[in-house]
Amino acid sequence: SYLISLSFQQRIEIHKLRQGDNLILGFSIGGGIDQDPTQNPFSEDKTDKGIYVTRVTQGGPAEVAGLQIGDKIMQVNGWDMTMVTHDQARKRLTKRNEEVVRLLVTRQSLQKAVQQSMLS
Amino acid sequence: MSATMDTESTYSGYSHYSGHSKKAHRQGRDRHKSPRSKDGSRSEKSVTIQTPPAEPLLGNDASRAEEGQDDNWGETTTAITGTSEHSISQEDIARISKDLEDSVGLDCKRYLGLTVAAVLGLLVFLTPIAFILLPQILWRDDLEPCGTVCEGLFISVAFKLLILLIGTWALFFRQPKADLPRVFVFRALLLVLIFLFVFSYWLFYGVRILDSKDTNYQGIVQYAVSLVDALLFIHYLAIVLLELRQLQPMFTVKVVRSTDGESRYYSLGHLSIQRAALVVLENYYRDFTVYNPALLTASKSRAAKHMAGLKVYNVDGPGNNASGQSRAMIAAAARRRDSSHNELYYEEADHERRVRKRRARLVVAVEEAFTHIKRLQAEEQQKAPGEMMDPREAAQAIFPSMARALQKYLRTTRQQQYHSMESILQHLSFCITNNMTPKAFLERYLNPGPTLQYDRERWFSKQWTLVSEEAVTSGLQDGVVFVLKCLDFSLVVNVKKIPFIKLSEEFIDPKSHKFVLRLQSETSV
């Protein structure tokens, strides 16, 4: 048997948590068109300059909503995130007047061979 | 006399160095006498040489590898085998006759070429003078008077002839340094050109001027001036063809010696094969280490052992399948698990260690020997006239303390043939005279040097033959291979063209060197 990788697109809705004066989402991002794509540990293609989720805090709103580490964020509330700088991405995620962010993420997962599952 | 000749002929059958050893032997016996007399006259000094001087190790020692038992100048007296000073072996006779007939044949050809060129040169030089003088001699009264113009032309002719003379002397009057098998194409062409040129001028002169007794003297002198000008241009052509054309390197030549694989690369221009061979040989004497047949015996004995262990038995009947037999032998030899590589490895490691040990002992002995001598300054020379020695005596004084270590080292590195005691003493006194350190003295013995460094007798390479598939006067081309053979080994020469280099230019503005940091930030949201 061998592993094949598939990528899923998922829609995730995160409700921001209020901590003092800030609204936090509970994850960290990396990447951007002004960053060095070769140092991204989660991307499959090392020239991919998209925004990736690098950390998800335990028990935070992102984890509750189902966001996983290594996800690539494609859209935030309809705004495209594939060709933005790191700072632009941060700004789009941390708008003060939004309490809910709807993300479109791409996730790669490894599946066991379809063959084997067909046989069993 | 015949009895000694008989012993000589059987002796030469045993060792292939008989020719050289006899010659060295003879020299050694002559050298025997001179230091002895010196010893006698110096007996009042406190330092004397204990051991009698003797010859270099003879050729028969090269085949025996054991040490410490051979007679040599460091330790004991020499045992001289029964030869007389006037005996020569068969090989010597063959060599002498070959030398004779070769030298006679080539000398004739060389002298013929030289005389032709000299005669032509003389003719050419005298022609303008003849052109100017003949009308004066033959029909002086009929000539038109020609004043300042002609005198100016005379001066210019004189100086141009002088320049031509100096140029020809500089270019052509050189000692020939080699005998080449075929004639130089360009030289022959130039001689033919000059001959035709002068011949046509004489023809014109004879027909138009002498026969018709032309009275316009200025025209005649100008004709002579034009001849001299044209000769100067031919001289220029000669420089370009013979000297300048081959200066620019066009080919890289790889020279490999057939016996031990030593190789060198040289850059050559457009030369004919024979001239390229000449350049290679001139550089051979300077760049290649001297050919030492004693170093090849190890690989020969290994090769003999490889094929000696197998015998072929033909069980299928009396068919003479020679190629099948040899193939079977090769296959069996390949499959056989022999440990000769092991032997070689350990033998080489052993030899390396032995050489290094001997070398260390030698260096220490020489350094110690050199400390026994001090150079006297001018003032001190007046004060202590008693014990003063000249360099030769000083060398003889310190030589015994290093003789044994040096001789052992030379024997281990198989160089004992190349250094006789006399040459070592000479080198030692040379080093002492020139204030050289022990290391500078030893540099000649620690590593084998180029062939030029050694005595002519030891060269093994004086007569060369050029073996080539193409005509030796044709030029070098890419891929040409020729071989320079001498009696004991050969040099294989491979010619390669220097590739055409395409060089392009790229301009970089010094202000364009800009850099940026590689970012990888992580922001938590």
Side-chain angles (χ1 to χ4, degrees):
Chain A
S1 68
Y2 51 88
L3 300 171
I4 53 176
S5 72
L6 309 165
S7 36
F8 296 94
Q9 278 205 333
Q10 261 203 300
R11 292 188 185 278
I12 293 178
E13 193 176 291
I14 305 178
H15 296 263
K16 292 190 191 177
L17 179 65
R18 182 163 289 279
Q19 252 190 13
D21 207 19
N22 304 322
L23 285 168
I24 62 164
L25 290 155
F27 67 96
S28 302
I29 54 165
I33 54 176
D34 56 338
Q35 306 283 309
D36 181 19
T38 57
Q39 296 187 36
N40 189 343
F42 304 108
S43 59
E44 207 167 82
D45 175 16
K46 290 303 171 196
T47 58
D48 184 5
K49 295 189 176 181
I51 308 292
Y52 280 77
V53 175
T54 54
R55 220 170 354 122
V56 177
T57 52
Q58 286 260 9
E63 195 188 14
V64 164
L67 191 65
Q68 286 182 14
I69 187 173
D71 288 351
K72 178 177 174 180
I73 302 178
M74 311 291 280
Q75 286 181 13
V76 171
N77 285 345
W79 291 98
D80 171 60
M81 298 288 264
T82 55
M83 293 299 256
V84 293
T85 66
H86 191 86
D87 210 41
Q88 283 170 346
R90 181 191 58 83
K91 283 190 187 145
R92 292 209 185 132
L93 284 165
T94 52
K95 285 199 168 20
R96 285 182 154 274
N97 49 0
E98 290 174 354
E99 291 231 355
V100 178
V101 285
R102 291 182 179 81
L103 310 175
L104 177 65
V105 302
T106 301
R107 181 176 302 159
Q108 297 202 330
S109 70
L110 301 170
Q111 293 264 324
K112 287 238 174 77
V114 179
Q115 220 179 7
Q116 207 191 20
S117 58
M118 277 180 17
L119 284 172
S120 59
Chain B
M1 190 61 174
S2 60
T4 41
M5 289 288 279
D6 281 342
T7 52
E8 277 321 291
S9 52
T10 51
Y11 188 81
S12 63
Y14 287 119
S15 114
H16 38 276
Y17 303 114
S18 59
H20 297 280
S21 64
K22 292 303 155 289
K23 263 191 250 177
H25 208 88
R26 256 176 286 142
Q27 278 181 2
R29 297 197 83 199
D30 293 334
R31 264 180 263 129
H32 223 77
K33 298 173 190 133
S34 45
R36 274 266 163 77
S37 53
K38 251 201 156 199
D39 271 355
S41 64
R42 278 198 310 116
S43 53
E44 67 272 13
K45 286 225 168 73
S46 58
V47 179
T48 48
I49 299 176
Q50 298 300 325
T51 59
E55 303 80 352
L57 295 178
L58 304 178
N60 52 5
D61 289 343
S63 44
R64 286 190 282 149
E66 69 246 295
E67 307 166 296
Q69 299 180 15
D70 291 330
D71 305 331
N72 55 64
W73 35 263
E75 301 171 37
T76 55
T77 52
T78 320
I80 301 171
T81 55
T83 63
S84 84
E85 298 203 357
H86 303 292
S87 59
I88 44 175
S89 68
Q90 298 277 8
E91 278 191 8
D92 273 345
I93 295 178
R95 265 179 215 235
I96 290 172
S97 57
K98 188 170 185 289
D99 282 342
L100 271 178
E101 58 191 33
D102 282 343
S103 59
V104 163
L106 288 172
D107 273 355
C108 269
K109 200 171 69 164
R110 204 198 320 164
Y111 286 141
L112 185 70
L114 278 179
T115 43
V116 163
V119 163
L120 193 65
L122 205 60
L123 190 72
V124 161
F125 189 72
L126 293 176
T127 302
I129 303 177
F131 283 2
I132 295 177
L133 288 179
L134 277 175
Q136 295 272 358
I137 297 171
L138 293 176
W139 62 92
R140 169 172 264 210
D141 309 317
D142 300 328
L143 284 175
E144 285 167 24
C146 153
T148 11
V149 181
C150 274
E151 281 158 20
L153 288 175
F154 288 154
I155 291 178
S156 83
V157 163
F159 275 109
K160 282 178 188 166
L161 278 179
L162 181 68
I163 291 174
L164 196 61
L165 192 66
I166 295 177
T168 314
W169 170 81
L171 193 61
F172 297 117
F173 284 30
R174 278 183 289 201
Q175 263 200 346
K177 45 184 181 172
D179 262 337
L180 294 177
R182 303 257 175 209
V183 73
F184 274 160
V185 170
F186 281 142
R187 272 194 209 169
L189 273 177
L190 276 170
L191 285 178
V192 167
L193 181 69
I194 291 178
F195 176 72
L196 284 176
F197 176 75
V198 171
F199 181 72
S200 63
Y201 261 72
W202 267 110
L203 202 62
F204 182 85
Y205 186 78
V207 166
R208 287 307 211 58
I209 297 180
L210 282 181
D211 274 353
S212 62
K213 297 217 190 260
D214 193 10
T215 54
N216 181 8
Y217 192 53
Q218 188 179 334
I220 296 176
V221 177
Q222 273 177 339
Y223 183 67
V225 172
S226 80
L227 171 65
V228 181
D229 286 340
L231 283 177
L232 278 174
F233 285 131
I234 291 187
H235 187 260
Y236 154 78
L237 189 68
I239 295 179
V240 163
L241 279 182
L242 296 181
E243 304 281 318
L244 288 183
R245 188 168 171 259
Q246 64 258 23
L247 287 182
Q248 198 176 42
M250 301 289 304
F251 298 100
T252 307
V253 147
K254 177 172 180 176
V255 185
V256 182
R257 184 158 58 187
S258 65
T259 49
D260 57 359
E262 186 168 344
S263 63
R264 291 275 186 288
Y265 286 88
Y266 299 114
S267 283
L268 297 177
H270 275 293
L271 290 173
S272 61
I273 291 184
Q274 60 181 1
R275 288 179 83 183
L278 190 63
V279 171
V280 164
L281 281 178
E282 282 165 7
N283 286 324
Y284 167 79
Y285 283 107
R286 183 196 57 175
D287 290 331
F288 278 71
T289 60
V290 66
Y291 167 69
N292 195 347
L295 293 172
L296 305 168
T297 49
S299 55
K300 282 189 195 155
S301 63
R302 265 203 306 276
K305 259 194 268 171
H306 279 313
M307 287 314 223
L310 295 174
K311 275 182 71 97
V312 178
Y313 292 100
N314 201 346
V315 292
D316 289 332
N320 190 11
N321 189 3
S323 67
Q325 266 187 13
S326 45
R327 243 180 273 143
M329 265 183 94
I330 294 173
R335 254 180 266 128
R336 177 176 64 165
R337 252 214 227 154
D338 73 46
S339 53
S340 56
H341 59 276
N342 236 357
E343 258 178 60
L344 172 65
Y345 170 69
Y346 284 115
E347 201 182 293
E348 277 192 352
D350 217 19
H351 179 78
E352 188 61 42
R353 220 172 338 120
R354 229 182 310 142
V355 164
R356 263 192 250 146
K357 225 201 257 185
R358 290 267 161 94
R359 180 199 164 115
R361 283 203 197 128
L362 172 64
V363 169
V364 162
V366 171
E367 280 174 0
E368 209 198 306
F370 267 65
T371 58
H372 293 317
I373 295 204
K374 194 183 81 135
R375 175 179 273 265
L376 283 180
Q377 302 304 319
E379 322 73 59
E380 296 167 332
Q381 278 180 21
Q382 272 80 20
K383 284 186 227 158
E387 284 302 313
M388 281 201 306
M389 297 186 278
D390 67 2
R392 171 92 193 173
E393 289 163 359
Q396 279 171 336
I398 59 173
F399 180 64
S401 57
M402 67 167 85
R404 195 184 162 134
L406 181 58
Q407 180 241 340
K408 283 209 153 138
Y409 181 80
L410 287 182
R411 240 181 315 103
T412 314
T413 53
R414 319 249 175 117
Q415 284 177 330
Q416 72 269 25
Q417 291 275 58
Y418 293 94
H419 303 284
S420 64
M421 189 178 107
E422 179 57 32
S423 76
I424 298 178
L425 275 173
Q426 252 176 9
H427 187 235
L428 186 54
S429 55
F430 170 78
C431 290
I432 292 176
T433 318
N434 292 306
N435 289 326
M436 292 208 200
T437 58
K439 203 159 177 200
F441 164 71
L442 277 176
E443 145 310 298
R444 184 188 244 222
Y445 303 107
L446 290 180
N447 301 308
T451 317
L452 282 176
Q453 191 178 299
Y454 299 98
D455 194 20
R456 259 182 190 255
E457 310 268 321
R458 305 259 170 249
W459 278 7
F460 284 104
S461 55
K462 284 180 257 192
Q463 276 283 63
W464 295 91
T465 314
L466 175 55
V467 177
S468 155
E469 285 164 17
E470 278 141 29
V472 297
T473 48
S474 65
L476 288 178
Q477 301 283 338
D478 188 28
V480 158
V481 174
F482 58 92
V483 177
L484 287 159
K485 266 208 304 218
C486 78
L487 270 163
D488 301 292
F489 60 94
S490 54
L491 297 172
V492 180
V493 180
N494 201 346
V495 178
K496 282 202 187 4
K497 198 169 157 66
I498 294 181
F500 181 76
I501 298 173
K502 239 179 134 52
L503 198 61
S504 58
E505 172 204 353
E506 186 183 331
F507 174 70
I508 296 186
D509 185 7
K511 296 200 201 91
S512 69
H513 298 295
K514 299 269 182 245
F515 294 90
V516 81
L517 287 175
R518 296 176 93 175
L519 299 172
Q520 184 59 28
S521 2
E522 192 187 4
T523 326
S524 58
V525 293

